[in-house]
């Protein structure tokens, strides 16, 4: 059985130490082990990255970008293999894994534009004979810490741009499903990246804390749950680092009475249950405006959910797969139980799915709960499972108030045909990513990804234009070339 | 004798409570008192700002900008009065205070461009029939905490842009010289700002901590010393806020042998001693490359320093004024003493200046110290006084190493005629603001201000384009209008 | 009776020569004369502008911008006087003239941002040790030729930005109503502009041709009718100049059945008849989708048009004023006649308005014509009078085809509540400025103004960001500082 | 012997009609024929492009960009074959042809960033409840007309970006060396472009005039000589089209006395003689400041030119190859003769080069002429051959005056170590592309290429950011969604 090591300075590292099992959640079986990096192993990676920095930062941006062009090509050539690796350890179905990968590749494509994106601003004659310009220089060694639910995509949000900007990188991926992540990093090396520019350390809290505390790490990008995001953000800041930490979500859709309910149910079906709801952009609450809209929505959902197929990643006819661990499966089931106990009605119950051959897998079927209110546990917390809550609001304003009062502000959506409703919603909703008839409003790679409120800590969003700013440091140069014969009086006043 | 209150919700507030003396540092006399806001007073200001936010954020940007147009006009009309208020409490000479104000006005001018600066990015057809765009929406209530050394300029770095972006603001200025700051804020109200959009609370740590901890404050901008900057940054982050905290500096100039020494000495004279060196961009270390350059520089400096006049703010023939407090004067003198004790040579000694009528003022004269080495206390710490250290390096690389090894990275400068030297320096020096033959490379208002290393904590610099990003939150909208007849299958895969 | 001269090199010039009457169209009386510049007078202005160029282009952008800040202030202080001057010679009602001026001032506000807008792009390390950046340098002497219908606004689209970019300017305004234009230009001189930077030559074709042919003129901006725009564009190009020439329009509104007809009629009332329809953005054709919508629209329009008041500029209760000349009044009446003859129905007839005291004024009342088809003269040509045509289309696609088939493509609008309709319309309509429920979709000053098809000749639109590009020339600098010891082999291959 | 056809609607077209010989200039032999498109053949191509436009403009930009990603890959895979095709018909040496191709590929790389580059600007609340945004929509069918000297690169400046922006394209390449151009276009089809999006018509003036006059062609890009550029620009404009027409050049280098003459001579050697000087950026005049600098430069040049090897393209040891035709060879020799006759001194004479095996080839050797003055024919006209003129100026200002007085303003360079000289030069020289110690300051693909004065007609430069603007049309949408209950008075005043 394989044991996954680290990628340090261009080589796979198998330092002795702690390991952890990697499961196949479709079967519940252990498929291998992953090494958990000790502090000294992480420090070795940091040292390699630090040593690689000066030459890489001096490499012209266009040459750095060309590594990304080759990387894109390699990712496309190995797409099926990557999807299989994702499926084995995460459980998501092939077509979903390919979708994830494609979204990751879009970030590589964006990083190919680094020479354009790194342009500074030049001003002639800020004063007489004085010019000023800005440059966006790389930071040095930067780190990324990524979650289990997108082992390919979320890392690709981070390091292609960080590296194209001239930084060197340490990635600490999820220890639940690290194999595809490492495989992809090796493709990047194959694309021509010098050793030490990209490093992967597998590990747990020891690795994370080392990255947070080591003074050589200049910046940390994190995606995960809100409690950990807060921890990361506070600790990185206490160490003087820049940090962006993306946390949890509770994404609501408002369903207006004028919406086409068949379209709504169709699109919610995918947005709520795809990838078992283990997405920070999963649409987990539908707020119908008016009982009539709610009843129609429930009816449509029931009908459409009859066709839902849950099962192993390898069968592409399945709609979604298992949850990541047995413990998480139990937690999701617990949320459904609590909803029932607190007075909601489980309209479609996924608690005991029949999955042929998956008796030991971590499956929960698509679940629809009606009559949810804002005081219920299932509403207040992020479930991260294939569970869609339905709520009823008297008006669009009441529906919006629900969303604006929730602690999270990642994604949201409105279903309507009405231009005024859409405009009012998008202007006033306190959420970072807003869909109009789009239930998963994940920005494309040339925009940036970020929630509001307790869904993101930091100034700058992930990927896209914001990533260029996050992974670089502004330098402003003010230049004057005195005439050879010039003699001037000293200036004591602040130059105006 | 006057007692300065707070500006809350458009009114001057004189809540009872603690007060603190305000000195005239040119005479050492107390000129008034300032009220120190209690927690509840600060909370009252926050509540006013929160109440004012919804209407202000809905005011079109062009209308917000027009308040800034009027504000600029009022600042220009009251320039002399503002300069006098600055001089009385800070001690800087009129022409210097006017220079500071002018730099502040430039930031108001920049804020007049808010409609342009707030533009988001729009993409048609991110997918078939799908559009996406970004908006930069205001954060809500934001706070600024500013230092004594630029009572007009540094607050103007912050609130004009914050407010033009649609935020409401709480300013906590320095309690040493708060009068000009408050006066300027009242001009902003006169320019037509609705009550509650701009608030000033005078105070000390109690006020600061209230701002850092109150969940209604969305972001904090700070300028001050590095230990406080670190405290602010860590505490704001622990509370989940965005924060930019600008700290101390030790700004070096490299003097190359090909530089025109008369020009160098002229410009260093102003950059080292102007405003008594109480500037985070003061040029406090000159590193001469080669002994020959050093000797010529020392000779020129001695000659030019003979003409330096230190004295009260009100005499515009003076070059610079007193330090801010008696305690700070003693600290600066202590650094000069320590340099002498640790082996450096005080070439020009400002420790006992003769200032007619200023016997009780907090004066230190211009001081030049030769033979400084990197192990001395006077080199390792920020002096913030009219003291210029001279060091000698064997080569340009050795001089650059000194700078790159220092904990601060705010400003720096090279004096040379040589294009290659200038380019190499500006590319490789680890400092955020770089001058080429410009000893105070403060970026103009349409660029941004920020140091590197322990001179700035955060992602984004102060004022200019970065301020727009700091004071706004990205929202990305993804929009699709389904055809009335459209029926589509649910998408379970992540949309690629 | 006054005779209006030229503004050349900071002075009012009264060279002898031809003159032309200026009418008060509200009374039909002659109010003064305007001098018509000869070729040599225009050349004198060009010479002044050429002489002023070098110093002005070397003036830092921020100082140029500050002239615009003062100009804005003067325009606001003199707004009523300017509105009166416009009204006397153009005929538009005070509130409309103030609206025009305010739109002009917005362009001055935008020009205040010149330092930001002129930034070039800087790239470090385009190759090893090689940097490149772009600058946007002024062109030299540029010219503007403007129409009678916006004597304040259209010139302000041009010269504030041209001048803020560092150019010097020759304006040739309409000889019909030149007084307000000249008055405003004098305010700009009062704001502190050096002599020769801004010049106004009144005149006719002789002046225009001189500007088009003189090799010292680098660029020409024109706004007027399409035949003249074509002439200007072709002749300027034949002389090697850059040119933007804005021509005529036929702006359609599509009225969808779901639109609120009261809102539609309200807004069309202003958009069709305001300023007597003498606007290139006037909404002159309403295309109702379905007869039902058409009938409702006609009914609403009839009702609302009953309240329309046409009369002299000086009575602010009037809704709109006279046409510019008697000849133009006759031409407009002729279009109404032709519509009737070709089978359309004049629902509201403005051909013989009763205007107390305006018996000799050039008035036509608001006119509504139903049953218009695309083969009628009144449809094919631009009327430029207070005439609204109503057409009927079977579908939205048929309505859009009408618009896309018309030779003009300036502005258009759709009235609907439906998001899908609005999106489809804005994507596929072949028109440069598109309104969604906005009948006069004139872009704000920080966007740019430009039609498509035969409404604009050139690459770049008027005002806003495009004006910065039109009035500057890109310069790209590639810089390398060879190491002192460097020796390299010659490169014969094209550097890759 | 092959006969080259056209690429129309995805197929190679061999319509009957006129043909023209294609020479191998290294041997003087005819290598094939090229068909010359008749008017009807060109119209067929235009029709194909027009038919392909609607679907292509609706294809999301990211999908259009992905065709460019694949195109880049194919170009790299076929680089050697392309270089051979270039060499056979143009004569340039392999390494030079590969350099040209690489520069072309950079433009493809840039076009891969189309989704980023096409972003419009979005403004929320331009007025209360009103939003505005701009889009950059494709024009339709656009044409490019390209010269013989860069058969791969110059077409690649144009169509990758035009096509990535959503246009369809007709290329009319040079009839002297069309084979590599067509081959490359076929690779683009292989990359997945739909038929009709890219078309190539070979031809002469008949084809050109058809493109200039056909109303379906929206825009024309041209690179060639100035007389033709003027013709193209004037005729396209007379037809109402947008046009950018790049013409001839006379590129000067100023050699300052402080320059390292060995470096200067090295770099001039390549810049003057590479590709036989048949480059619009060839450095053809060296202006030495002071006789001493001139004498040293001449001495260094003589020495370095001894090693110059002229010969056939296939031998990569050669430095440069033949001229394009016998007629052009004679013209270049004529310029050298005239220089001699008018008093200049031919220091190194390339008029009768000995090229083994190339007796019938169109060779001229590297030629150095001293004592050139501004009244000589060889100075006033563009030679486009391997001839470097040396002039002497008394001062830098005198040298700059020479450049600023010349009718062309394409490229220029200064050799110096002095920062002040470089800054003064780059600010004040009237040339579009400026090198500081860089003799061929061709902007990289993410900047834009364009000369000043009679070297470029039009507003926008070639490739880079300007190409995005040239190949798109701005559309500005202003949107308001009225509240359902809203009733407002009509607005007759112009909305302010």
């Amino acid at each position: 059985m394989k044991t996954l090591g680290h990628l340090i300075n261009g080589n796979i590292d198998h330092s002795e130490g702690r390991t952890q099992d990697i499961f196949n959640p479709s079967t519940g079986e252990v498929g291998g082990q992953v090494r958990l990096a000790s502090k000294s192993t992480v420090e070795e990676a940091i040292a390699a990255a630090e040593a690689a920095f000066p030459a890489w930062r001096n490499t012209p941006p266009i040459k750095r970008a060309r590594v990304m062009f080759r990387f894109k090509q390699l990712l496309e050539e190995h797409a099926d293999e990557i999807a299989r690796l994702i499926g084995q350890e995460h459980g998501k179905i092939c077509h979903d894994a390919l979708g994830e990968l494609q979204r990751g590749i879009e970030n590589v494509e964006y990083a190919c534009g680094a020479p354009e994106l790194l342009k500074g601003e030049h001003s002639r004659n800020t004063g007489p004979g004085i010019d000023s310009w800005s440059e966006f220089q790389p930071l040095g060694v930067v780190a990324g810490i990524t979650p289990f639910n997108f082992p390919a995509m979320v890392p690709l949000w981070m390091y292609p741009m960080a590296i194209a900007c001239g930084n060197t990188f340490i990635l600490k991926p999820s220890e639940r499903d690290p194999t595809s992540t490492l495989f992809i990093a090796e493709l990047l090396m194959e694309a021509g990246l010098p050793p030490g520019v990209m490093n992967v350390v597998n590990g747990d809290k020891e690795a994370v804390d080392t990255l947070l505390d080591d003074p050589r790490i200049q910046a940390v990008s994190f995606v995960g749950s809100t409690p950990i995001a807060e921890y990361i953000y506070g600790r990185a800041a206490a160490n003087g680092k820049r940090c962006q930490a993306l946390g949890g979500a509770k994404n609501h859709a408002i369903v207006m009475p004028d919406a086409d309910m068949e379209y709504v149910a169709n699109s919610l079906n995918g947005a709520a249950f795809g990838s078992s709801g283990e997405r920070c952009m999963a649409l987990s609450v539908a707020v119908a405006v008016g009982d009539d809209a709610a009843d129609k929505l429930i009816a449509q959902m029931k009908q459409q959910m009859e066709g839902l197929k849950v099962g192993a990643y390898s069968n592409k006819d399945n709609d979604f797969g298992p949850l990541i661990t047995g413990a998480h499966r139990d937690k999701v089931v617990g949320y459904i139980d609590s909803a029932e106990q607190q007075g909601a009605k489980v309209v479609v119950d996924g608690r005991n799915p029949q999955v042929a051959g998956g008796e030991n897998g971590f499956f929960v079927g698509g679940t629809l709960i009606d009559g949810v209110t804002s005081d219920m546990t299932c509403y207040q917390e992020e479930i991260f499972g294939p569970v869609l809550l339905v709520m009823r609001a008297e008006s669009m304003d009441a529906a919006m108030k629900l969303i604006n009062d929730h602690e999270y502000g990642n994604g949201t959506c409105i279903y309507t045909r009405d231009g005024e409703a859409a405009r009012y919603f998008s202007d006033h909703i306190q959420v970072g990513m807003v869909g109009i008839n789009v239930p998963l409003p994940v920005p494309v790679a040339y925009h940036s990804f970020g929630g509001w409120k307790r869904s993101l800590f930091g100034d700058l969003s992930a990927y896209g234009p914001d990533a260029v700013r996050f992974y670089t440091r502004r330098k402003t140069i003010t230049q004057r070339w005195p005439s050879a014969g010039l003699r001037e009086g000293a200036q004591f006043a602040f130059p105006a």
Side-chain angles (χ1 to χ4, degrees), chain A residues 329-353:
Chain A
R329 188 248 339 261
D330 296 344
K331 191 173 168 196
V332 169
V333 168
Y335 279 121
I336 303 172
D337 294 345
S338 80
E340 212 164 29
Q341 288 152 14
Q342 293 172 15
K345 181 179 170 198
V346 179
V347 178
V348 181
D349 192 341
R351 278 175 287 192
N352 290 299

Side-chain angles (χ1 to χ4, degrees), chain A residues 178-241:
Chain A
T179 303
S180 64
T181 316
L182 186 65
F183 180 80
I184 289 173
E186 292 183 271
L187 291 181
L188 177 54
M189 300 312 296
E190 190 182 328
L193 202 68
V197 176
M198 173 69 191
N199 306 276
V200 180
V201 290
N202 289 302
D204 53 11
K205 189 165 189 301
E206 180 176 343
V208 167
D209 285 348
T210 305
L211 292 170
L212 294 176
D213 294 344
D214 193 293
R216 293 168 297 180
I217 298 289
Q218 302 294 318
V220 177
S221 297
F222 171 83
V223 174
S225 69
T226 287
I228 308 297
E230 279 190 297
Y231 168 78
I232 299 270
Y233 187 65
R235 185 154 177 171
N239 286 318
K241 298 187 198 311

Side-chain angles (χ1 to χ4, degrees), chain A residues 373-385:
Chain A
T373 53
S374 62
D375 54 345
M376 295 181 183
T377 310
C378 69
Y379 177 71
Q380 290 168 348
E381 299 181 12
E382 185 177 24
I383 298 178
F384 230 58

